[in-house]
Each structure stands twice: as structure tokens, then as C-alpha cells.
Amino acid sequence: MPPRILFSLLLCTVPLSLGFGLMNGSLPLAPIEMWHALWGNNDDTATTVLWQLRLPRVLAAFVCGGLLALSGVLLQALLRNPLADPYILGISGGAAVGALAAMLLGAGLAATQLSSFTGASLAIVTVFGLGFRHGERNIYRLLLTGVVLSAGCGALISLLLTLAQGDEVKGMLFWLMGDLSHAQGLPFAWFVLMAVGLCATVFSGGLDVLAGGLDKAAALGVAVGRWQAGLYFAAAVLTVTALQLGGSIGFVGLMIPHAIRLIGISAHRWLIPLSALLGGSFLVLADTLARTLWSPLQFPVGVFTALLGVPVLLWLLSRRS
Amino acid sequence: MNNLVLEAHKLTVAIGGKLICREFDMTIRPGECWGVLGQNGAGKTTLLRTLAGLHKPQAGVVSLNDVELAAHARRNLAQHLGVLLQSESGEFWGSVQEYVLLGRFPHRASLFGYSVQDETLAQQALAQMELEGLAQRPYNTLSGGERQRAAIAQVLTQRAQCYLLDEPLQHLDLRHQAQTMQVFSRLKEQGCALMMVLHDTLWAQRCCDHVLLLFADGHALHGPAQALLTRVHLEALYQCPLRELSVEGERWFVAGV
């Protein structure tokens, strides 16, 4: 499929997915009701629900999906590994340990956020400090450092979960599976997505060259070491922002870029905007299903990203054998 | 006009504790074609990478037109110096055409995409390597030989004046070997400077005017191809007895047992 057409298609999907998220919930709204609530000057329940609850939520879901998908694209380019996702370098592990520890101590939302941010930052600095050697083209050290740190964090997470009491465990599991109901810092997240997305698109030619081989990239005039450091920190910022917004929502960052590639688009100047759009719409859809399908029960959104995404991706994979 | 001179001055190269050459001097001028021969592990690739500025020498300098490589901006260097590396195991998800087009990266005028001229040059290089039919195929579905041809097409697209080629003939069948060497010979006639790692003494004889013999103990010998491509030198180089055959005026060297 030509990239331009796919881009237009995905652009059309954005209002559709946002509308789907806005209409569905414990108070279902018809399209016309939603329209009135959005633009009318009413003071009814529908308007309150829409502006106070649903709009922030769908916007959070969209930006979070975009951040994760973009982070996945950048990390797959950096690590030259199709299995790379936003969480492979231990950033989410560090954030999770921070968040869970705060929850165990009974901290509030703000303290939990701060603690998870601290954990993530520590992980970023540790992995970069130990794993990155300037001028060394072999990126496995970085990858291994990240994976080792992730494993360590995994053990700590298990420990924290066993130490926690009944109710706390549920909150922790929601954090671990991803949960968008406490999304905060929405404008900042949108700013990060736009800024990094724009930068990455501008520099997409270099990303293509890096994908062709590191030595080759150096021979073609790319300052490989600087690019790698830049990619690492860009991906880290995206990941941390997404983690702060919705916990560690799995699957989006790994699979969205692959879905675009399986359709046949791999040039980064298209891959980057397309992934961000698809990731955003996809997460809005998954989040809406997670909160409405068995309402009033709410499920972690991570469950639905996987349940929705796995069949689609398996189909795409089998299609092009 | 092409007046690019690549020069190594008192170059000492080592990798992983192994000495590859010591205080080595050489100059590659426009219109020259150099063949690099040596045993496996003698350091041919490392030497080539050093000349390309991809490996740091222990001592000495490599310079392009009297300016040290490190002092050139990487992009500027890439506009003049084309490097063919042995296949890197990597993931390239795009098509063959997109892969070949990457060779235009150092010449790219705009940040967004490539110009029509860039695409024309890529098309020409694809045709030179007989890859037109594969242009739209995903790069990672190619065979080893086809990948090698795509890599050569990418370097040709770069339109450099000096080419450093690491085993350009690897994985190629006989016809494509001949074709590729013809393409390189034409570059030489146009005034480009070339240096290529070869394992085939016959191609070295036919196409190279200079050869560099890299011995396993770290000493190197270079000079006119005719003078160095003799049985005595090659037996010393490969450390095995060779038989010399003469076919239509060409010297063939066959490993004896």
C-alpha cells in the first residue's frame, strides 16, 4: 500500500477512534449527543462526563499509544533488533520498582509518580553509563545491560508484590498492566510526542542509513556514536512520559512498528508518523474496550492491547510468508 | 576533476593485540587500482577500515589530499570515499531500491527524501549490477550473491572518487564476477582510485596495477602487480606450495598439495 494512502487512512481513523472512545462508557452517548456535549454550551451530565472524564482519558490514551509506538520505532532502529520494545532497556523495570515501592509504603498518587520517575531515571542513567561506550559500534553491551537490569527489576517487582497486602496488590497489578484512569500531565505528554516525533521525522534519513548497518552508516557519513546516544535518550524520554501517563502498557511499542512494516512500509520518514498515528488510535480503542466491555468492572488496558493486537499481527505475519 | 590522493604515512595498525602493519607508507593516486592480498586473518579488512577512517590506527596518519581523515567532516569524507564492507548481519526492512538509494545519503540536499537525480543514479547502479528486476523486492529476501550486488550498487550510487572495497567478489558467480570487475575497471579509466581486497590472483593480475601483499607476521610488501604476482612471492604469502600455469599469456596459480 502506498504510504500516502495509508497516512490519509490513519488520519481519518484518528477522529473515529477518539469519537468511539468519547461515546462509550457507563453513560453511552449517541453521536449527535456527543456533538452537542462537545460544542454546545449546556450544563448537563453529558457535558460534564465528556469534558471532565472522557476527553482527558481518550487524549491520554492516544498520546500514550503514540509515545510507545514511536519509542519502539527508535529503539528498534538503535538496537537493530526486531524484538526491541520501549521496555527492553529496563526503563519500565526501574519505573515499576519505584512505583510499587511507593504504593507499598502507602504513598499517594503524586508520590508514586515521583518515585516511579526516579526509578526510571536511575535505570536510564545506569544503563547508559554502564552499557554505552562512545565509538564502540557494538550495541549488544547496551542491550545486555538493559536486559540484565530488567531481570533484576523483575525480581524486585515479584518481591514487592509478595510483600503487599490484598488491596495494594490490585493497584500494583494495574500499574504493571497499564492503567490510564489516573493520567496526569497531558499537555506535557503531547508536547513530548510532537517534539520528538517531529525531530525524528526530520532526521529519518539517518535512521534509514543506520538500519542498513552501523559501519556502513559511518562510511556514509553518519556520526554513529552521537546518533546512538541521541536515539537512546529520545526513546528514554518517550518511554518515561508514557510510563508516567499510564503505567507499563505492553505490546504497543513492540507491535505497532512491525504492523506498519508488515504492510510494506519501512522508510522511517513514513514509519515514524504512521506508527504514532496507529499506536494512538489503537490504544484509544483498547482502552475504551477495557473500561466498557464488562463495566462497571474496569480491566487493565494492557490486557486488551495484547488481546486485540495478537490476532491482527499473527494474521499479518502469516499473510506474507 | 578528480585529483584525490589517499595516503598512509607511517601507519601502524593493530587489532585485538595483533599487529597488522608497522610504519606502513603508501599512496593511492587517481586512476590506480590496488589489490590487497593475504591469508585469512592477516588484517586486510582492518587495514581497509583504517584507510576508510573506521578503525583508529595505533600510530601514523591516513590523509586524503594532505588532510588527515579525522579532520574531514564525516559527511564530506563520504562524498569522496566509497567503502564496500563485508556483509554486516543487519536488519534492513526496506526494498532493494531503498537500500541502494542510501548510497546517496552523503550527497542529499534536503532533509526529506531524495531528489529525482538521486533516484536516477540509483537506477543506473541497479542496472549496472543487473538488479532492475529485483528493485522492488524486500532486501532481506535476497540471496547472498544478490545482496553483494546490491551492496556494490549502493557504493556505485555514492559516486565517490576513491573506492575501498572489501572482497567485492565474495558470493558472486563467474559472470557477475566478470561484470563487476568490468564496472570497476571502467571507474579506474574514468580516473577513480580503487583498492580492493581479493583472493583471486587472476583478477588481481587483470585489473590491478598495484598490489599490496599483507603477510601474517605484520610486514607488508607493495609495488607493481606484474612484479609482485609471482610464484615465489605468493608462496611466501599464502605459505603453501603453488603450481604456476600459463594460459593464453596469463599466469594462473593453483594450490598444490
Side-chain angles (χ1 to χ4, degrees):
Chain A
M1 191 185 300
R4 277 165 223 281
I5 297 181
L6 189 66
F7 185 74
S8 326
L9 265 175
L10 284 178
L11 218 52
C12 297
T13 319
V14 173
L16 289 179
S17 69
L18 291 178
F20 177 72
L22 288 176
M23 289 189 303
N24 288 294
S26 49
L27 176 71
L29 296 174
I32 192 75
E33 289 175 293
M34 177 188 84
W35 192 258
H36 280 304
L38 264 182
W39 306 116
N41 249 339
N42 315 328
D43 203 20
D44 55 3
T45 333
T47 311
T48 319
V49 166
L50 205 70
W51 281 98
Q52 302 289 319
L53 296 174
R54 284 197 201 151
L55 195 62
R57 176 113 184 202
V58 293
L59 287 178
F62 191 92
V63 74
C64 196
L67 289 166
L68 289 172
L70 186 52
S71 171
V73 171
L74 299 188
L75 282 169
Q76 283 165 14
L78 168 68
L79 300 171
R80 298 160 50 66
N81 191 319
L83 289 177
D85 78 347
Y87 307 142
I88 201 165
L89 291 181
I91 301 173
S92 70
V97 170
L100 266 53
M103 288 179 187
L104 190 68
L105 295 174
L109 190 60
T112 307
Q113 294 266 39
L114 186 69
S115 174
S116 84
F117 179 77
T118 313
S121 308
L122 278 176
I124 291 169
V125 172
T126 310
V127 170
F128 190 79
L130 294 177
F132 192 83
R133 295 280 183 281
H134 198 83
E136 183 183 308
R137 300 262 156 69
N138 190 345
I139 205 75
Y140 286 126
R141 186 197 299 272
L142 187 70
L143 184 59
L144 271 176
T145 314
V147 169
V148 167
L149 194 77
S150 288
C153 289
L156 284 177
I157 290 168
S158 305
L159 181 70
L160 288 167
L161 281 171
T162 47
L163 288 175
Q165 305 297 319
D167 252 9
E168 290 165 347
V169 174
K170 197 168 174 204
M172 290 177 173
L173 282 177
F174 262 74
W175 198 98
L176 290 173
M177 300 289 305
D179 177 20
L180 285 156
S181 54
H182 307 296
Q184 279 179 351
L186 209 49
F188 176 73
W190 276 94
F191 168 75
V192 168
L193 178 63
M194 292 296 171
V196 178
L198 203 70
C199 276
T201 311
V202 167
F203 291 111
S204 58
L207 292 179
D208 290 335
V209 178
L210 278 175
L214 297 181
D215 263 344
K216 186 78 235 186
L220 285 173
V222 172
V224 175
R226 247 180 287 162
W227 275 76
Q228 285 175 335
L231 273 175
Y232 175 79
F233 281 107
V237 167
L238 291 168
T239 309
V240 170
T241 313
L243 284 167
Q244 290 292 302
L245 215 54
S248 59
I249 299 169
F251 196 78
V252 180
L254 175 65
M255 289 309 179
I256 296 291
H258 282 307
I260 306 272
R261 284 197 195 97
L262 284 169
I263 295 170
I265 295 164
S266 58
H268 282 90
R269 69 175 182 283
W270 286 111
L271 190 59
I272 288 163
L274 290 175
S275 295
L277 286 177
L278 184 62
S281 298
F282 177 70
L283 196 58
V284 171
L285 183 70
D287 181 52
T288 308
L289 291 177
R291 67 188 160 83
T292 56
L293 222 49
W294 279 280
S295 94
L297 263 181
Q298 297 217 351
F299 286 93
V301 61
V303 174
F304 280 84
T305 51
L307 286 182
L308 282 175
V310 167
V312 175
L313 216 94
L314 287 177
W315 173 71
L316 278 172
L317 276 171
S318 64
R319 197 183 55 129
R320 221 176 91 175
S321 48
Chain B
M1 268 308 288
N2 183 14
N3 48 10
L4 216 63
V5 178
L6 186 69
E7 200 173 0
H9 182 64
K10 291 203 180 302
L11 197 66
T12 301
V13 181
I15 187 165
K18 181 188 158 32
L19 184 77
I20 285 158
C21 58
R22 186 185 292 119
E23 305 217 332
F24 172 72
D25 291 294
M26 64 173 267
T27 310
I28 309 177
R29 294 188 178 81
E32 287 183 355
C33 182
W34 285 65
V36 183
L37 286 84
Q39 284 186 39
N40 294 153
K44 304 181 289 294
T45 297
T46 308
L47 178 64
L48 206 77
R49 284 166 46 93
T50 311
L51 293 175
L54 297 173
H55 180 82
K56 217 172 126 60
Q58 286 211 314
V61 289
V62 181
S63 57
L64 194 66
N65 278 359
D66 294 328
V67 180
E68 213 176 312
L69 282 191
H72 283 276
R74 202 63 249 189
R75 182 179 143 100
N76 185 281
L77 201 59
Q79 291 173 346
H80 302 295
L81 199 64
V83 187
L84 176 74
L85 299 156
Q86 285 195 49
S87 51
E88 270 186 277
S89 61
E91 292 281 342
F92 186 79
W93 283 290
S95 70
V96 175
Q97 188 172 15
E98 286 171 315
Y99 181 76
V100 171
L101 202 51
L102 295 182
R104 294 306 295 167
F105 183 74
H107 299 278
R108 213 164 66 139
S110 116
L111 277 172
F112 294 98
Y114 294 87
S115 70
V116 179
Q117 194 213 350
D118 291 334
E119 295 196 2
T120 315
L121 289 172
Q123 214 59 47
Q124 282 173 10
L126 281 167
Q128 276 180 301
M129 286 291 114
E130 286 193 347
L131 287 167
E132 303 109 309
L134 301 177
Q136 300 309 323
R137 272 258 297 273
Y139 171 79
N140 52 23
T141 63
L142 296 187
S143 76
E146 289 167 338
R147 274 178 199 230
Q148 178 70 5
R149 273 150 61 205
I152 294 170
Q154 191 188 57
V155 175
L156 293 175
T157 310
Q158 213 172 328
R159 292 290 160 119
Q161 285 121 47
C162 181
Y163 291 89
L164 299 169
L165 310 161
D166 196 359
E167 296 203 30
L169 300 180
Q170 74 173 347
H171 305 309
L172 296 185
D173 60 45
L174 291 180
R175 181 164 67 95
H176 287 113
Q177 287 186 16
Q179 229 167 28
T180 305
M181 291 310 276
Q182 254 173 21
V183 170
F184 290 147
S185 298
R186 223 169 302 141
L187 285 177
K188 180 183 128 153
E189 283 159 23
Q190 289 163 7
C192 292
L194 294 104
M195 183 175 211
M196 53 181 91
V197 173
L198 292 171
H199 279 300
D200 190 327
T201 54
L202 192 64
W203 285 122
Q205 251 180 87
R206 284 179 180 168
C207 299
C208 300
D209 34 44
H210 292 69
V211 290
L212 165 63
L213 307 182
L214 205 55
F215 291 87
D217 60 1
H219 92 269
L221 203 61
H222 64 77
Q226 283 302 322
L228 286 185
L229 290 174
T230 61
R231 194 164 64 94
V232 178
H233 279 123
L234 292 176
E235 278 183 339
L237 182 70
Y238 291 114
Q239 294 183 333
C240 85
L242 295 175
R243 290 175 56 195
E244 184 175 343
L245 310 170
S246 180
V247 182
E248 296 179 3
E250 289 181 317
R251 276 173 289 173
W252 290 60
F253 296 98
V254 183
V257 193

